[in-house]
Amino acid sequence: MHPRRILIAQGGGPTAVINQSLAGVVLAARGVSDVDLVYGARNGVRGIVNEDFLDLGQETGANLELVANTPSSALGSTRDKPDLKYCQEIIQVLQAHQINHFFYIGGNDSSDTLRILSLEAEKLAFPLRCIHIPKTIDNDLVSNDHTPGFPSAARFVAQAFAGANLDNAALPGVYVGVVMGRHAGFLTAASALGRKFADDGPHLIYLPERVFVLENFLADVKQAYQRFGRCVIAVSEGIHDASGTPIASLLAKTVERDDHGNVQLSGNGALADLLCEEIKSKLNIKRVRGDTFGYLQRSFMGCVSDVDQREAREVGEKALEFAIHDKRNGTVAIKRSGAYSINYAVNYELLDLDVVAGKTRVMEDELIAASGTDVTDAFRLYLQPLLGSGMPDGFRLRSPAVAKIRNAG
């Protein structure tokens, strides 16, 4: 039997718990007698072709635990989307180092990379085990109840909107918060979990799962402002018109694009500013403010779900277990036991890479209110247990009003 030689990499956007999965694989591997070495590739697949490896077997268990509790990708990451030629280069490096187990922690693109690698390795009769470990704050991996990284980011969004709502109540006006989510609105929808009282914001939630009509948006804002004397709005960066064109590109004079040709939605405040300007000019409301959460929601320190931490560690541990006992390539999936409720439990399955690779999950209709500008109770039951323990709470004064003297009557 050949010794097991393991390589781990992290790809795509960082999260608050991605290093838990890294530690899960490394520490679990130490309990397997035939594991010869455990390497980490710096900056994802880019580090593999550059042979930029760290010997993770030299890390102490204590330091791994400290790193596990540190947000962002300890190995560094990449946005590279390998094609066949790129994957062939990867295999050449893996063969040179006699690495026969590759664990890639990432989202849709990472799973697709493993799919290509596994097929190419099979053609070459190279015994390579490819295991995808799920990670994404967008929560858009199909066949998963949720993905590690999302609960902590959702906790941040819920708390941020709870705070923005308190600020807006003290100094009334219109507040627009733009949240990550190009195709899936799960993270934006998490803003609803920041409400406590019936008149709390966000009063309006706009998701990419529904067509965005500017005239309807302005009418909604006007109505909410008249009803509450203020309006807090949560908006997904990926909102679009009926043709699928991002609203950011429709309203902007110039459009920035990323390395893959997509309209740049994150990392700038364009959409928030543009929507605020529409509200000011069309509704004649003076106090209008906007924020773009941008990268803050991905690796925010001190705002981590303990449920997310535990599950991110467990998917790493299960990935190693599946690699050894199932003896097949695949992607680790989180499955919820039973219906959405406070009685929460999950189990883990190994699915074929084809099930997840290159596919995008969006919010199911049952989670979105009929109005299209809110979520349902089902969504609240879905998300609540994922946010973890110790969620902060806000309170209001209950003192009775004092009768007026000079302005009575």
Side-chain angles (χ1 to χ4, degrees):
M1 179 183 293
H2 295 290
R4 300 180 193 274
R5 293 193 159 197
I6 291 173
L7 176 64
I8 310 168
Q10 298 170 318
T15 79
V17 298
I18 190 172
N19 294 326
Q20 291 285 353
S21 298
L22 170 66
V25 177
V26 177
L27 294 175
R30 294 182 177 181
V32 180
S33 60
D34 62 346
V35 171
D36 188 39
L37 58 81
V38 181
Y39 286 170
R42 292 204 277 200
N43 300 313
V45 289
R46 172 65 58 183
I48 301 178
V49 297
N50 291 335
E51 292 186 84
D52 191 1
F53 297 155
L54 296 177
D55 185 352
L56 298 177
Q58 301 301 312
E59 287 284 349
T60 65
N63 193 56
L64 278 170
E65 291 293 352
L66 293 173
V67 171
N69 288 307
T70 303
S72 190
S73 302
L75 287 171
S77 191
T78 181
R79 285 296 188 187
D80 286 6
K81 296 172 67 173
D83 55 13
L84 179 58
K85 183 177 182 298
Y86 198 129
C87 287
Q88 289 171 338
E89 292 183 42
I90 290 174
I91 287 181
Q92 289 173 11
V93 173
L94 297 182
Q95 288 176 317
H97 289 267
Q98 298 182 324
I99 291 168
N100 48 29
H101 287 69
F102 179 32
F103 296 86
Y104 202 8
I105 309 170
N108 313 59
D109 292 338
S110 301
S111 62
D112 198 43
T113 295
L114 288 177
R115 181 189 63 81
I116 299 171
L117 276 175
S118 63
L119 292 173
E120 192 62 18
E122 186 177 351
K123 290 179 186 177
L124 298 172
F126 173 43
L128 178 65
R129 181 72 61 240
C130 295
I131 303 293
H132 172 239
I133 300 175
K135 171 265 359 164
T136 172
I137 68 167
D138 292 330
N139 202 39
D140 61 353
L141 294 185
V142 301
S143 299
N144 281 266
D145 178 79
H146 58 280
T147 49
F150 165 68
S152 292
R155 182 182 175 104
F156 172 84
V157 169
Q159 291 183 198
F161 270 92
N165 172 72
L166 292 171
D167 187 284
N168 185 259
L171 291 170
V174 175
Y175 173 82
V176 179
V178 176
V179 182
M180 277 186 174
R182 182 179 293 271
H183 301 295
F186 288 99
L187 202 53
T188 305
S191 61
L193 275 292
R195 298 173 184 147
K196 179 177 182 178
F197 299 100
D199 59 347
D200 278 344
H203 306 104
L204 298 168
I205 300 174
Y206 294 91
L207 310 169
E209 285 82 358
R210 296 292 182 265
V211 171
F212 184 90
V213 180
L214 183 59
E215 292 74 16
N216 294 348
F217 166 77
L218 293 172
D220 293 339
V221 175
K222 181 179 180 180
Q223 184 180 46
Y225 190 78
Q226 290 175 337
R227 178 182 177 187
F228 300 107
R230 62 192 187 93
C231 183
V232 176
I233 309 163
V235 180
S236 283
E237 63 181 9
I239 55 170
H240 56 83
D241 67 6
S243 70
T245 304
I247 298 302
S249 63
L250 289 176
L251 296 177
K253 294 180 180 179
T254 58
V255 176
E256 183 181 351
R257 295 185 181 274
D258 62 23
D259 293 338
H260 303 297
N262 299 312
V263 174
Q264 185 69 49
L265 300 177
S266 300
N268 63 66
L271 182 59
D273 291 343
L274 292 166
L275 291 176
C276 285
E277 187 55 40
E278 289 291 320
I279 294 169
K280 287 180 183 178
S281 61
K282 302 291 175 58
L283 300 182
N284 196 30
I285 299 174
K286 292 183 178 180
R287 185 176 174 78
V288 183
R289 302 290 185 268
D291 282 324
T292 299
F293 287 18
Y295 299 121
L296 286 175
Q297 56 216 307
R298 291 208 301 218
S299 302
F300 197 86
M301 295 189 74
C303 187
V304 182
S305 161
D306 51 2
V307 172
D308 199 18
Q309 286 181 314
R310 182 183 71 246
E311 292 178 348
R313 174 69 67 96
E314 289 175 349
V315 294
E317 295 169 344
K318 294 298 291 187
L320 186 76
E321 180 182 322
F322 285 135
I324 294 172
H325 299 299
D326 279 47
K327 298 180 180 179
R328 64 187 176 94
N329 303 319
T331 176
V332 182
I334 299 178
K335 301 289 187 178
R336 188 178 303 224
S337 301
Y340 301 149
S341 71
I342 58 173
N343 299 314
Y344 173 75
V346 298
N347 54 66
Y348 304 95
E349 298 179 11
L350 185 67
L351 308 178
D352 290 340
L353 288 166
D354 286 339
V355 174
V356 173
K359 299 179 176 66
T360 301
R361 176 192 179 189
V362 297
M363 284 183 67
E364 293 80 7
D365 288 341
E366 66 172 311
L367 305 180
I368 304 174
S371 65
T373 58
D374 204 348
V375 299
T376 62
D377 288 339
F379 178 78
R380 296 182 184 91
L381 288 172
Y382 164 77
L383 182 57
Q384 187 65 56
L386 305 184
L387 298 179
S389 60
M391 281 288 286
D393 205 355
F395 297 88
R396 295 181 177 182
L397 295 172
R398 295 182 294 185
S399 310
V402 177
K404 297 179 180 181
I405 299 177
R406 293 189 61 193
N407 295 298

